[in-house]
Amino acid sequence: MQSRVTPFGYSSESCGYCKDASNGSRRPNSRASYYFSSSALTVEVYQILVDRGWRRSGTIFYKPDVLRHCCPHYTIRLPAASFKPSKDQRRTVNKWNDFVLGEKYKSEAARLYPLSKEEKARLKNTFDFVKEVHRCDLENVKQPPEPAHRFEVTLEPAAFTAEKYELFHNYQQNVHKEKPSQISQSGFKRFLCDSPLQKTSRNINGKTQVLGSYHQCYRLDGRLIAMGVLDLLPHCVSGVYFLYHSDFEQWHFGKLSALREAALALTGGYQYYYMGYYIHSCTKMRYKGDYTPQHVLDPETYEWDPLDGELRALLDKKSYVSMARERRLHIAESGTAEQKAPKANEQTEDNIVDVFPLPTAAEGGAAVAKGMSLFDLKVPGLMTPEEIEEHLDLGTMPIRIRGRDAEAQDLVSWETSDMNNPRSIKGIIAELVACIGPEAAWQIVVELG
């Protein structure tokens, strides 16, 4: 299967998170990202991209400039097998289970299906995360008697239906407070139904594991009351969006959905649960750190660091944090005089403005619009021109232009193009490659028109 991408480039715009920021608006209200669109992308390529800080919205993919973003976005992931629900999360699950089953059912079921002493002791002392999350699912409810409600959760294709759109309309209007004129079927399709990810499946431990974009639909007594939009990738369940009907706001479906998606990662053999971006400066987005143990993707080295006390303390003090940078600074401060002396191109706290010029998204976006290369802007985590030349032969990059397949070097203007000129063909392809990395670069075709 072929992955195809169309580069859009780097741009800045106003940010919707700043109104909820808890950091006293330390930066101007602007965000910046690199974008591309895709008409077809394999799940393997998207897994690589997610692990380099990318996310998607419909068929548009974006990688935030974490350094310059007014509300820095950090990719986080939860190892599903290590997840330990908190007391509050367990309480949320238990309340929903009690509501669905009902007191009458629980009383009668206890009489018809008595538990052994060992089972009672286990339930009292342990919380079986997966079992409890699925306890009220109709397929797991022993009958008779009839539960108070019939609750079912199914994975379905990420396709448009009137039922799903009605739920989306209610959620956007009542929870997000959007005006009816701002909500449309086309917007719903574009945002939550359209996906370039190519569906496939594989066998994991004797079970069929599906991959691609799906809707996880929650139905109570036949009524669609909530829906999770998920990308199922080779190593993770990636949550794209979640919506619920305002009638059920009291049941904390945000927590319930996160627990169920973590359970899907564990039982489905996906290994990790990705909750999207962690935004430490935004109060409404900090809840993701409550699902432990979370790990944060370093925006410069793409290593994973635990979201622990040290990292949280740094995020309280600084808008931009790279633990790899912090470790280098620590070594420089505690080492010998020779170790402390700055080396060529070394990125230290003292010269960070020199290393990363134009520190805000608005400044960076304006400079790029006037012709500055991302290599000169120095976006964290991007490959340098030297690294591109070392790892890739840009000239042999597959391209598609006006419906015809070719290699980049087949273009008449290729040899005279400059990688550092973002408005040249070579510059456009080089910046795309710098953002997606070498591993993904050889698995895509660049569509240029």
Side-chain angles (χ1 to χ4, degrees):
M1 293 185 285
Q2 194 177 68
S3 293
R4 301 191 295 273
V5 307
T6 301
F8 287 167
Y10 180 99
S11 65
S12 63
E13 57 189 339
S14 62
C15 175
Y17 289 103
C18 282
K19 60 185 178 182
D20 300 317
S22 61
N23 61 4
S25 187
R26 293 180 292 193
R27 292 183 172 193
N29 182 348
S30 60
R31 60 182 180 180
S33 298
Y34 183 91
Y35 298 89
F36 72 75
S37 69
S38 175
S39 58
L41 201 73
T42 67
V43 290
E44 290 81 10
V45 168
Y46 188 41
Q47 179 71 70
I48 295 168
L49 295 178
V50 167
D51 289 333
R52 290 180 69 88
W54 288 83
R55 298 284 290 173
R56 76 170 183 90
S57 176
T59 60
I60 302 298
F61 293 75
Y62 57 100
K63 175 181 172 60
D65 183 341
V66 183
L67 173 78
R68 296 175 177 85
H69 207 300
C70 53
C71 300
H73 290 38
Y74 295 91
T75 298
I76 60 172
R77 75 180 185 187
L78 174 74
S82 302
F83 175 49
K84 302 295 182 184
S86 67
K87 184 177 181 180
D88 178 64
Q89 292 160 0
R90 296 196 301 268
R91 185 185 302 115
T92 299
V93 172
N94 290 333
K95 284 185 176 180
W96 177 249
N97 287 341
D98 290 345
F99 166 72
V100 172
L101 297 174
E103 290 301 323
K104 183 178 179 181
Y105 171 86
K106 292 198 300 177
S107 177
E108 186 66 13
R111 183 183 64 83
L112 292 174
Y113 314 108
L115 299 177
S116 65
K117 290 182 179 180
E118 293 77 9
E119 183 67 10
K120 288 180 180 180
R122 188 188 66 80
L123 291 174
K124 184 177 180 179
N125 297 313
T126 62
F127 184 85
D128 189 326
F129 160 52
V130 172
K131 187 173 183 179
E132 290 304 308
V133 164
H134 293 284
R135 182 158 64 90
C136 69
D137 293 9
L138 187 62
E139 63 181 0
N140 296 326
V141 175
K142 293 181 178 180
Q143 298 182 64
E146 279 284 322
H149 302 280
R150 301 171 68 85
F151 181 60
E152 299 171 278
V153 180
T154 55
L155 266 181
E156 302 177 10
F160 173 88
T161 67
E163 178 187 40
K164 293 175 183 177
Y165 175 66
E166 289 174 8
L167 176 66
F168 172 77
H169 193 286
N170 172 273
Y171 181 76
Q172 297 300 116
Q173 183 174 350
N174 294 293
V175 178
H176 276 288
K177 308 302 180 184
E178 290 187 0
K179 298 177 181 179
S181 59
Q182 297 176 299
I183 309 168
S184 66
Q185 288 190 13
S186 60
F188 171 62
K189 291 177 182 177
R190 183 174 60 252
F191 179 33
L192 299 178
C193 298
D194 293 346
S195 171
L197 298 187
Q198 299 165 3
K199 286 187 174 63
T200 184
S201 64
R202 62 183 183 178
N203 188 282
I204 299 292
N205 297 324
K207 296 181 180 179
T208 299
Q209 182 191 68
V210 295
L211 301 169
S213 297
Y214 286 86
H215 289 161
Q216 190 173 46
C217 297
Y218 299 61
R219 291 185 173 84
L220 188 73
D221 300 324
R223 175 190 177 189
L224 183 66
I225 63 169
M227 184 177 78
V229 182
L230 305 176
D231 287 336
L232 305 180
L233 307 178
H235 302 304
C236 73
V237 171
S238 177
V240 178
Y241 201 66
F242 186 80
L243 52 153
Y244 57 85
H245 198 282
S246 57
D247 288 352
F248 297 86
E249 196 162 3
Q250 67 179 12
W251 299 107
H252 302 288
F253 262 91
K255 294 178 184 177
L256 288 171
S257 64
L259 293 166
R260 187 170 286 269
E261 289 164 15
L264 175 61
L266 182 60
T267 60
Y270 297 97
Q271 191 174 2
Y272 296 102
Y273 173 39
Y274 286 56
M275 297 181 73
Y277 292 123
Y278 175 74
I279 307 175
H280 190 77
S281 60
C282 180
T283 304
K284 289 185 178 179
M285 300 298 283
R286 281 198 189 189
Y287 76 92
K288 296 180 181 182
D290 296 336
Y291 297 81
T292 58
Q294 291 281 12
H295 290 78
V296 174
L297 184 68
D298 190 292
E300 296 183 23
T301 64
Y302 303 120
E303 299 169 297
W304 294 95
D305 297 293
L307 183 58
D308 56 13
E310 180 184 8
L311 180 50
R312 288 177 190 267
L314 286 168
L315 290 169
D316 284 337
K317 299 175 184 177
K318 304 179 179 183
S319 57
Y320 171 74
V321 174
S322 161
M323 290 304 294
R325 173 185 297 280
E326 296 295 330
R327 285 189 284 268
R328 290 197 301 271
L329 288 172
H330 178 73
I331 292 172
E333 291 169 358
S334 60
T336 64
E338 182 180 352
Q339 291 173 320
K340 291 180 180 181
K343 299 177 177 60
N345 300 319
E346 183 177 32
Q347 299 171 4
T348 68
E349 191 69 16
D350 293 336
N351 66 8
I352 191 170
V353 175
D354 295 329
V355 174
F356 297 116
L358 307 175
T360 70
E363 291 173 315
V368 169
K370 292 178 181 178
M372 175 180 276
S373 166
L374 296 189
F375 300 120
D376 293 327
L377 184 62
K378 299 186 186 300
V379 178
L382 267 61
M383 299 176 69
T384 64
E386 294 75 21
E387 288 172 331
I388 292 175
E389 290 180 343
E390 179 183 352
H391 294 286
L392 297 160
D393 181 357
L394 281 188
T396 59
M397 281 287 296
I399 64 171
R400 186 171 179 80
I401 184 166
R402 296 173 185 170
R404 298 180 62 183
D405 294 325
E407 290 186 348
Q409 61 192 4
D410 296 333
L411 298 173
V412 174
S413 61
W414 183 256
E415 290 302 326
T416 58
S417 292
D418 182 1
M419 191 187 302
N420 289 286
N421 178 2
R423 293 173 180 172
S424 70
I425 290 295
K426 188 176 292 185
I428 290 171
I429 294 178
E431 289 190 349
L432 172 66
V433 168
C435 290
I436 67 175
E439 190 177 355
W442 283 120
Q443 300 183 57
I444 65 164
V445 174
V446 182
E447 295 191 315
L448 297 173

